[in-house]
């Protein structure tokens, strides 16, 4: 475990930088985490982050396909917003645990 | 007379029918199994068909052979489940009431969900090995194929039997070696995951095996479409991989009746309590096997282990007692690794596959995350166990909940 300071608040994170307590998260922090990842957040990014936080809070399993059906972005758009591994990157910036595929 | 309807007569539904018929009085409880199809497929056997190891007869038997006397069987599709009224409507309009509904409708491959997949190259140069048709067609193709780029791709998560595409890669390596064309076949394993598998230790072991067998892993590839003219697969982030033969695990989804009934998530899986196996939305509806959204493997072993838990909870539910049995997500998978060897993983919601030994009275121990001949024989023997013991709900020398015995956390 490690700790990081975002928006003036110190939070506990995993070795890979994912929040340990998703309740620590604020949207101001998200902007700073995104900057570390080389991203600058738009309203669209934030809408996606809120969507996945909401899904996470309900205990639903997150999939790229589900985000593609969110009505906020399609899958291609999701890749453009969060390039590379969008689900992992978005989860990190949204302050929720690293997505684990439960196979 | 009270009524239990089991929707789906596959692995999970058949086991439940056997267990419940034995336990419940025939003059108090009527049990009905409803299924669209008359044939029971031993799905783990499909993997061996393309390589000529199994043929059709090895994996096919009539469903009726496994449903006990005293259980009504209807071979029909269901139009809709009206869970609010505890009834369902068959395609001919018949309304059936139930006291308890067990949803065991499984998961199906849905090649229609990927643009370009089922066009002109489908079953010409693109095959799946998750259906009997796909496996048999691929067998015919491989008899004549002279080599090139073999792409093994997984379209999306989750999918049935998570180790099967890896086993396919290992068996392909063996097959092409034995027929003398391995040097002409370039095998690539293209996956939406970040590595060979999801859990760290198993990923390490399986990645090493892929490297050893000269199979390239291309991770984080999320399939958008198939380009039939260029003969490539294209990812959402614009990468293209050419193929001469594409073997694919299409998107897996729950049954359409779940969608028609408004009871599923975006992949038609039914929201289910991961411990009690009760539906999250309807107290007299229970879900077992691939049809549920519980966060563990979609696999026969899970159906089998969770059947023991569901049986206990149903007995409690019927008798008005609290449901105390809690499923732990236990999964147990043999992994064929080629050349007569195999590996074994055993895990649950909380514990990733660990190395060590797996005790099994009378047959084992098997090596966990080890590559051994005994593990391969375990897999081969399992087909017999499946047909003769498992489906009939008979007792097996293996506990439904995962045990730490033999496992090593620090190895």
């Amino acid at each position: 475990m490690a700790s990081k300071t975002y928006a003036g608040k110190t939070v506990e994170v995993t070795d890979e930088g994912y929040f340990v307590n998703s309740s620590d998260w604020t949207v101001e922090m998200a902007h700073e985490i995104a900057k570390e990842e080389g991203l600058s957040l738009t309203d669209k990014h934030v809408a996606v982050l809120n969507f996945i936080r909401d899904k996470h809070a309900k205990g639903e399993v997150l999939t790229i396909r589900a985000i593609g059906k969110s009505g906020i972005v399609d899958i291609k758009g999701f890749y453009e917003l969060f390039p590379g591994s969008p689900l992992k990157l978005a989860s990190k910036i949204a302050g929720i645990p690293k997505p684990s595929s439960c196979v | 007379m009270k009524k239990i309807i089991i929707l789906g007569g596959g692995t999970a539904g058949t086991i439940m029918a056997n267990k419940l018929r034995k336990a419940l009085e025939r003059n108090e409880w009527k049990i009905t199994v409803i299924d669209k199809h008359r044939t029971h497929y031993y799905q783990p056997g499909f993997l061996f068909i393309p390589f000529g190891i199994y043929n059709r007869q090895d994996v096919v038997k009539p469903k009726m052979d496994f449903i006990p006397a005293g259980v009504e069987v209807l071979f029909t599709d269901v139009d809709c489940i009206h869970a609010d009224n505890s009834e369902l409507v068959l395609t001919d309009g018949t309304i059936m009431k139930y006291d308890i509904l067990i949803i065991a409708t499984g998961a199906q491959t849905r090649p229609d969900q990927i643009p370009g997949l089922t066009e002109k190259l489908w079953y010409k140069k693109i095959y799946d090995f998750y259906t009997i048709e796909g496996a048999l067609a691929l067998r015919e193709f491989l008899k004549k194929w002279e080599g090139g780029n073999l792409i093994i791709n997984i379209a999306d998560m989750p999918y049935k039997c998570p180790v099967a595409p890896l086993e396919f890669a290992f068996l392909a390596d063996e097959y092409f070696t034995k027929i003398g064309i391995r040097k002409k076949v370039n095998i690539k394993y293209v996956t939406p995951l970040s590595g060979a598998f999801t859990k760290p230790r198993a990923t390490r072991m399986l990645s090493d095996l892929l490297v050893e067998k000269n199979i390239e892993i291309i991770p984080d590839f999320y399939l958008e479409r198939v380009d039939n003219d260029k003969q490539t697969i294209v990812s959402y982030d614009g990468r293209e991989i050419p193929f001469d033969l594409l073997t694919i695990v299409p998107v897996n989804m729950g049954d359409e009746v779940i969608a028609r009934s408004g009871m599923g998530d975006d992949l038609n899986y039914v929201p289910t309590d991961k411990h009690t196996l009760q539906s999250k939305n309807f107290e007299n509806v229970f879900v077992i096997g691939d049809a549920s959204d519980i966060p563990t493997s979609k696999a026969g072993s899970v159906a089998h282990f969770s059947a023991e838990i569901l049986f206990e909870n149903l007995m409690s539910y019927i008798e008005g007692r609290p449901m105390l049995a809690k499923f732990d997500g236990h999964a147990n998978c043999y992994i064929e690794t080629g050349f007569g060897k195999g590996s074994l993983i055993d895990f649950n919601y909380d514990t990733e596959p660990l190395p060590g030994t797996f005790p099994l009275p009378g047959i084992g121990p098997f090596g966990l995350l080890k590559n051994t001949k005994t593990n391969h024989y375990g897999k081969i023997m399992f087909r017999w166990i499946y047909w003769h013991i498992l489906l009939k709900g008979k007792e097996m020398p293996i506990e439904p909940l995962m045990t730490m015995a033999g496992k090593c956390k620090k190895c």
Side-chain angles (χ1 to χ4, degrees):
Chain A
M1 293 295 164
S3 62
K4 279 256 190 181
T5 304
Y6 294 116
K9 199 180 159 213
T10 303
V11 293
E12 225 184 317
V13 296
T14 66
D15 295 336
E16 293 176 288
Y18 292 86
F19 275 41
V20 175
N21 304 306
S22 63
S23 56
D24 290 341
W25 183 89
T26 63
V27 73
E28 289 73 36
M29 292 176 166
H31 282 279
E32 294 191 13
I33 309 166
K35 210 169 281 172
E36 285 184 350
E37 300 289 339
L39 287 181
S40 149
L41 296 186
T42 62
D43 290 349
K44 195 133 204 170
H45 284 97
V46 175
V48 173
L49 296 179
N50 284 326
F51 174 79
I52 67 173
R53 280 185 64 83
D54 186 48
K55 282 254 170 194
H56 172 71
K58 286 184 191 153
E60 291 179 30
V61 180
L62 280 168
T63 61
I64 290 179
R65 201 160 291 272
I67 290 162
K69 289 181 183 172
S70 64
I72 303 167
V73 281
D74 58 14
I75 297 174
K76 227 173 177 125
F78 186 44
Y79 268 88
E80 281 160 15
L81 291 176
F82 301 94
S85 304
L87 200 55
K88 274 181 244 164
L89 190 54
S91 297
K92 195 180 210 176
I93 299 173
I96 63 167
K98 185 177 177 180
S100 63
S101 297
C102 311
V103 294
Chain B
M1 188 91 129
K2 290 183 183 159
K3 297 188 183 90
I4 294 180
I5 294 180
I6 302 173
L7 200 51
T11 308
T14 302
I15 296 174
M16 289 314 297
N18 279 291
K19 283 183 178 296
L20 289 169
R21 188 64 291 167
K22 214 177 288 172
L24 296 172
E25 288 290 341
R26 288 194 190 193
N27 51 15
E28 279 178 42
W29 285 92
K30 181 177 180 186
I31 302 176
T32 305
V33 172
I34 303 177
D35 200 294
K36 286 186 269 196
H37 306 292
R38 290 173 181 271
T39 303
H40 191 112
Y41 293 106
Y42 175 60
Q43 294 187 60
F46 290 173
L47 171 73
F48 296 99
I49 290 176
F51 308 108
I53 302 167
Y54 283 176
N55 56 34
R56 191 183 161 83
Q57 297 91 281
D58 292 317
V59 299
V60 171
K61 289 187 196 289
K63 282 202 167 102
M64 285 308 288
D65 288 4
F66 304 96
I67 308 282
V71 170
E72 178 189 44
V73 183
L74 301 177
F75 289 112
T76 170
D77 201 355
V78 172
D79 185 45
C80 197
I81 305 163
H82 296 298
D84 285 325
N85 296 331
S86 296
E87 64 184 35
L88 45 81
V89 184
L90 306 182
T91 35
D92 67 0
T94 310
I95 293 173
M96 295 188 66
K97 286 268 183 197
Y98 58 80
D99 295 281
I100 294 172
L101 176 66
I102 300 172
I103 297 179
T105 40
Q108 286 88 37
T109 51
R110 292 290 298 269
D112 59 302
Q113 297 287 311
I114 298 289
L117 187 54
T118 52
E119 289 172 16
K120 64 181 180 192
L121 297 180
W122 183 242
Y123 285 13
K124 303 277 192 308
K125 291 186 173 183
I126 304 174
Y127 298 87
D128 71 292
F129 50 91
Y130 272 69
T131 59
I132 187 81
E133 298 80 16
L136 289 169
L138 182 54
R139 171 76 200 120
E140 290 310 308
F141 178 89
L142 287 179
K143 281 181 185 169
K144 297 186 194 112
W145 198 45
E146 289 173 1
N149 277 323
L150 165 59
I151 303 298
I152 300 164
N153 174 242
I154 299 153
D156 202 356
M157 312 290 297
Y159 60 93
K160 289 190 263 195
C161 192
V163 294
L166 282 164
E167 298 181 281
F168 184 88
F170 297 139
L171 290 175
D173 167 67
E174 176 185 353
Y175 176 79
F176 294 123
T177 303
K178 285 189 172 162
I179 64 169
I181 64 166
R182 180 66 180 90
K183 280 190 183 132
K184 292 188 206 158
V185 181
N186 195 1
I187 309 178
K188 289 185 180 156
Y189 189 81
V190 183
T191 169
L193 298 174
S194 299
F197 200 62
T198 51
K199 317 271 170 124
R201 290 192 210 216
T203 297
R204 221 175 304 144
M205 184 259 176
L206 294 163
S207 304
D208 288 351
L209 266 179
L210 287 169
V211 171
E212 188 186 307
K213 293 171 190 287
N214 195 22
I215 297 164
E216 187 187 347
I217 309 182
I218 299 177
D220 294 316
F221 186 98
Y222 196 58
L223 180 67
E224 182 195 356
R225 62 190 169 88
V226 176
D227 189 323
N228 283 259
D229 295 323
K230 285 158 81 182
Q231 254 179 247
T232 58
I233 52 172
V234 185
S235 70
Y236 275 104
D237 55 357
R239 282 178 285 163
E240 279 193 57
I241 300 173
F243 63 85
D244 298 300
L245 168 59
L246 172 62
T247 56
I248 189 163
V249 182
V251 177
N252 279 211
M253 289 173 76
D255 198 276
E256 278 300 310
V257 71
I258 304 301
R260 285 199 295 274
S261 309
M263 292 177 78
D265 62 15
D266 56 312
L267 289 170
N268 304 344
Y269 297 124
V270 185
T272 304
D273 184 293
K274 69 176 187 176
H275 295 302
T276 63
L277 306 172
Q278 189 174 34
S279 143
K280 283 186 179 166
N281 298 318
F282 304 97
E283 59 112 19
N284 62 340
V285 176
F286 295 80
V287 194
I288 183 165
D290 298 347
S292 86
D293 74 338
I294 62 172
T296 186
S297 294
K298 298 206 174 293
S301 64
V302 172
H304 163 221
F305 296 138
S306 60
E308 312 261 337
I309 305 301
L310 180 57
F311 174 72
E312 274 187 52
N313 279 341
L314 280 173
M315 288 299 123
S316 300
Y317 179 82
I318 286 167
E319 289 160 19
R321 292 181 280 117
M323 296 186 287
L324 297 180
K326 289 197 177 351
F327 187 51
D328 64 349
H330 187 195
N332 178 289
C333 313
Y334 286 101
I335 307 172
E336 275 295 294
T337 54
F339 296 96
K341 287 189 177 180
S343 189
L344 179 65
I345 54 176
D346 190 66
F347 56 103
N348 68 11
Y349 293 139
D350 304 315
T351 307
E352 65 159 312
L354 294 170
T357 54
F358 184 77
L360 191 61
I363 310 169
F366 294 107
L368 290 167
L369 282 182
K370 289 182 191 119
N371 200 19
T372 69
K373 286 203 160 137
T374 317
N375 289 339
H376 164 73
Y377 290 121
K379 177 127 189 165
I380 297 306
M381 272 188 302
F382 183 73
R383 184 168 60 103
W384 188 91
I385 294 171
Y386 181 86
W387 291 127
H388 295 93
I389 300 176
L390 187 135
L391 280 180
K392 298 193 169 157
K394 291 182 186 165
E395 201 175 336
M396 280 176 56
I398 176 166
E399 295 295 322
L401 298 179
M402 198 200 77
T403 163
M404 284 305 289
K407 292 191 176 65
C408 175
K409 273 188 177 166
K410 288 180 186 151
C411 299

